[in-house]
Amino acid sequence: MEQPTPPQAPISPIDALRRICFLLERGRESSYRIDAFRKTIEAITLISDEELRERVEAGTLKQIKGIGDSSAAIIGQAVRGVLPAYLVSTEEKHGEPLTRGGEALYAALRGDLHAHSNWSDGGSPIEEMVLAAVELGQEWMALTDHSPRLKVANGLSRERLTDQLKRVDAINASLGDSFTLLRGIEVDIHLDGSLDQDDDMLDRLDVVTASIHSKLRQPSFEMTPRMVTAVRNPRTNVLAHCTGQLVTGGRGKRPPSQFDAEKVFRACLENDVAVEINSRPERCDPPDELIELARDLGCLFTIDSDAHAPGQLDMKSLGCERAERLGIPAERIVTTWPVDDVRAWAKG
Ligand SMILES: [Zn+2]
Ligand SMILES: [Zn+2]
């Protein structure tokens, strides 16, 4: 992967707006402004360059639904060949790399095994997520929207997952060989350790990322067998954000779940399940000492974004900093592998 270089003038209005959204999402700015800019992008995609120029000159841009003062200023400057001031200031505020360290590992990353679209609780269409991944130099990405039980996150029923797989196939067909969108899911782990989707549906997927979103405060003697059962399920490939901790951010703090980590990671090792290093800054999951434990046991890892918006795909740089600092060899990180190797591992 590579950090995108800051844009220069001239820049198209859409490229300027997309770059602004990318930077705001990556900087975890309020979604209200980002949503407004994304609506503008949708609106002007349908308008010819000529009409856009005419409207800039006539001052009638804001008559278009979805274009407010800020958007109109950005479009106007871009159309006139000037780098929009809003882009310049956003670049100043959010354009720096998210962290120092982990750069070699970041460059070695090829994919992501945890990313969401607006089919569940993400903010953007699948196509926008793919486009951003391509621009970051990724070679592949698994689309892992939530499973049915997670109603608050608009989890996908069997029927909706079936529809989504058709969309994924269509997107892949349009991409050719340059990028692969893997069929995936973030499947909830039930209290008894079973997975929240039918086996025949899971069999249709390339990869299965499993995680816990309920009863995080179970005692260890219940949580440990719950996790081990999920890891032993032959359909599970990744154990995501295993402690459920929240260390910072708007959702408040949450302590890590209690479980016998050595037992759980040994099960991961024996069942060829990768331990996810979740890159979201509010999760930072697992904590360092658990990553070290999984490292010493010989587990595989993934470095995932858990992105809910295109700009958040770049949060993997935070996971890379941690993995490199904790001495995880790149070859043990599945998200550095070529996509064919990932497919073979997942179905192996
Ligand atoms: Zn999750
Ligand atoms: Zn997720």
Side-chain angles (χ1 to χ4, degrees):
M1 288 179 54
E2 57 206 72
Q3 295 282 349
T5 44
Q8 309 283 319
I11 183 169
S12 78
I14 287 185
D15 285 348
L17 286 159
R18 289 187 64 246
R19 173 71 181 169
I20 288 168
C21 289
F22 178 91
L23 291 169
L24 294 175
E25 286 159 358
R26 201 179 75 141
R28 295 195 301 150
E29 286 282 355
S30 75
S31 62
Y32 163 77
R33 271 195 301 163
I34 302 167
D35 290 348
F37 287 137
R38 291 236 172 250
K39 281 206 180 73
T40 304
I41 295 172
E42 264 177 53
I44 65 173
T45 308
L46 306 168
I47 297 171
S48 69
D49 290 353
E50 203 185 339
E51 184 188 338
L52 212 52
R53 182 171 293 278
E54 281 167 11
R55 283 184 174 275
V56 167
E57 277 159 21
T60 58
L61 266 179
K62 286 197 283 176
Q63 290 171 1
I64 299 168
K65 195 167 176 285
I67 300 186
D69 289 333
S70 301
S71 294
I74 293 163
I75 295 166
Q77 288 157 19
V79 162
R80 294 195 174 98
V82 180
L83 205 56
Y86 199 104
L87 175 55
V88 174
S89 63
T90 310
E91 202 72 57
E92 276 166 15
K93 189 168 176 205
H94 292 298
E96 287 289 302
L98 291 174
T99 183
R100 307 270 170 223
E103 288 86 0
L105 200 46
Y106 184 89
L109 281 190
R110 296 173 194 257
D112 201 321
L113 284 168
H114 192 164
H116 299 273
S117 74
N118 61 2
W119 283 61
S120 64
D121 60 348
S124 286
I126 304 169
E127 291 83 350
E128 271 294 326
M129 297 296 289
V130 167
L131 195 53
V134 169
E135 285 168 352
L136 284 168
Q138 276 182 227
E139 295 173 14
W140 57 267
M141 175 174 74
L143 179 64
T144 59
D145 277 314
H146 289 287
S147 63
R149 209 195 67 86
L150 222 57
K151 294 213 165 48
V152 287
N154 197 18
L156 272 64
S157 64
R158 189 185 162 89
E159 291 69 31
R160 289 183 64 227
L161 180 56
T162 304
D163 286 347
Q164 188 182 63
L165 293 181
K166 285 181 204 150
R167 180 74 68 87
V168 170
D169 287 350
I171 291 171
N172 271 320
S174 72
L175 288 167
D177 291 337
S178 58
F179 186 90
T180 305
L181 184 61
L182 293 175
R183 303 156 147 234
I185 189 171
E186 179 179 9
V187 68
D188 234 50
I189 299 173
H190 290 140
L191 292 182
D192 64 358
S194 62
L195 303 181
D196 183 39
Q197 187 49 275
D198 299 331
D199 285 349
D200 67 313
M201 288 306 295
L202 296 177
D203 284 341
R204 293 180 62 191
L205 306 177
D206 297 306
V207 288
V208 172
T209 294
S211 63
I212 287 178
H213 295 101
S214 62
K215 280 262 196 175
L216 293 160
R217 309 258 39 82
Q218 275 183 315
S220 176
F221 69 85
E222 289 174 1
M223 186 58 97
T224 305
R226 179 184 183 186
M227 293 173 83
V228 168
T229 300
V231 166
R232 283 192 184 140
N233 188 316
R235 294 177 174 86
T236 301
N237 302 123
V238 178
L239 178 63
H241 55 69
C242 64
T243 79
Q245 72 174 4
L246 292 176
V247 294
T248 167
R251 289 158 73 194
K253 291 189 182 184
R254 186 164 62 205
S257 295
Q258 297 300 306
F259 55 92
D260 183 335
E262 184 165 343
K263 254 192 198 153
V264 171
F265 293 156
R266 267 194 204 288
C268 288
L269 181 68
E270 285 158 10
N271 293 277
D272 219 14
V273 168
V275 175
E276 178 188 76
I277 297 175
N278 188 295
S279 300
R280 296 193 65 90
E282 77 275 22
R283 286 197 180 274
C284 204
D285 195 3
D288 283 3
E289 59 277 15
L290 289 196
I291 293 179
E292 287 169 331
L293 176 64
R295 175 198 66 197
D296 294 346
L297 288 170
C299 293
L300 289 174
F301 291 89
T302 66
I303 294 175
D304 291 336
S305 66
D306 198 356
H308 287 67
Q312 294 173 359
L313 288 168
D314 196 37
M315 285 178 178
K316 287 194 287 291
S317 54
L318 300 171
C320 287
E321 184 279 323
R322 301 188 66 212
E324 199 164 281
R325 174 166 51 75
L326 296 168
I328 314 295
E331 60 272 19
R332 268 172 58 190
I333 300 168
V334 177
T335 38
T336 68
W337 297 357
V339 68
D340 289 343
D341 293 3
V342 176
R343 274 209 181 97
W345 159 74
K347 289 292 173 193

